[in-house]
């Protein structure tokens, strides 16, 4: 009979603290590179306020992060999720999904908008949002919504 390998203890997702800001920025830069600054989603984040941020730590090091930003979609309050960043040596362990779940739990009934891949985010209840308008160029097929009804209209920072 073989002993099953010990599973590592699950990482705890925590609320991002102000002292985490530099580590989060470094993690996002490592994950997405400087090209992220050219994206419409980044332009929106530059003008919106952070509504919530979550981090995962391992041995005191921030290895995962995600933020939600206060926006309105067609004049209705919403949250804009992203970016989700996980350290290269910590990927494939489900940490990204844990970070998304923290955002869903925080949002409650507030609608959440993001720019991402439907095959990944569809499992969380996100669906295409063809009537949502982000400023600047964006692949409209990647604009996704999770919330009541169909989101429509321009996205504005709050």
């Amino acid at each position: 009979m073989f002993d099953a390998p010990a599973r590592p203890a699950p990482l705890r997702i925590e609320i991002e603290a102000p002292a985490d800001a530099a580590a989060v920025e470094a993690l996002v830069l490592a994950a997405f590179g400087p090209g992220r600054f050219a994206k419409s989603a980044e332009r929106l984040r530059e003008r919106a306020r952070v509504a919530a941020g979550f981090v995962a730590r391992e041995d005191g090091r921030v290895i995962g992060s995600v933020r939600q930003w206060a926006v309105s979609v067609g004049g209705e309050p919403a949250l804009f999720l992203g970016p989700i960043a996980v350290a290269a040596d910590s990927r494939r362990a489900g940490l990204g999904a844990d970070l998304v779940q923290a955002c869903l739990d925080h949002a409650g009934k507030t609608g959440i908008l993001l720019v991402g891949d439907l095959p990944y985010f569809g499992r969380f209840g996100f669906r295409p949002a063809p009537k949502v308008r982000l400023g600047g160029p964006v692949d409209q097929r990647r604009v996704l919504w999770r919330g009541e009804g169909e989101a429509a209209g321009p996205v504005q920072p709050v």
Side-chain angles (χ1 to χ4, degrees):
M1 188 184 260
F2 296 98
D3 290 331
R7 294 185 66 163
L11 295 172
R12 198 167 130 221
I13 306 299
E14 303 173 353
I15 295 172
E16 180 184 331
D20 295 326
V24 167
E25 182 58 30
L27 186 64
V28 171
L29 188 58
F32 294 99
R36 84 174 216 258
F37 294 108
K39 296 183 178 184
S40 297
E42 189 66 23
R43 299 284 77 78
L44 178 60
R45 287 190 284 266
E46 287 173 351
R47 299 183 338 258
R49 71 173 171 77
V50 175
F54 301 95
V55 297
R57 295 179 208 284
E58 185 173 69
D59 299 324
R61 177 176 72 110
V62 173
I63 61 166
S65 73
V66 65
R67 288 179 174 157
Q68 291 178 301
W69 307 83
V71 298
S72 67
V73 178
E76 296 295 321
L79 295 167
F80 186 63
L81 191 154
I84 300 169
V86 176
D89 59 353
S90 300
R91 294 184 186 146
R92 301 190 190 275
L95 186 53
D98 292 344
L99 289 162
V100 171
Q101 189 60 54
C103 290
L104 301 181
D105 294 345
H106 172 266
K109 293 186 180 199
T110 302
I112 303 173
L113 182 71
L114 62 81
V115 178
D117 297 322
L118 184 58
Y120 181 84
F121 289 102
R123 66 181 159 155
F124 299 102
F126 285 91
R127 59 192 184 277
K131 295 181 180 178
V132 169
R133 297 291 168 242
L134 286 168
V138 65
D139 181 347
Q140 194 63 41
R141 297 169 299 181
R142 299 187 76 230
V143 178
L144 307 177
W145 173 256
R146 182 182 191 271
E148 298 288 323
E150 182 179 11
V155 179
Q156 298 293 324
V158 174

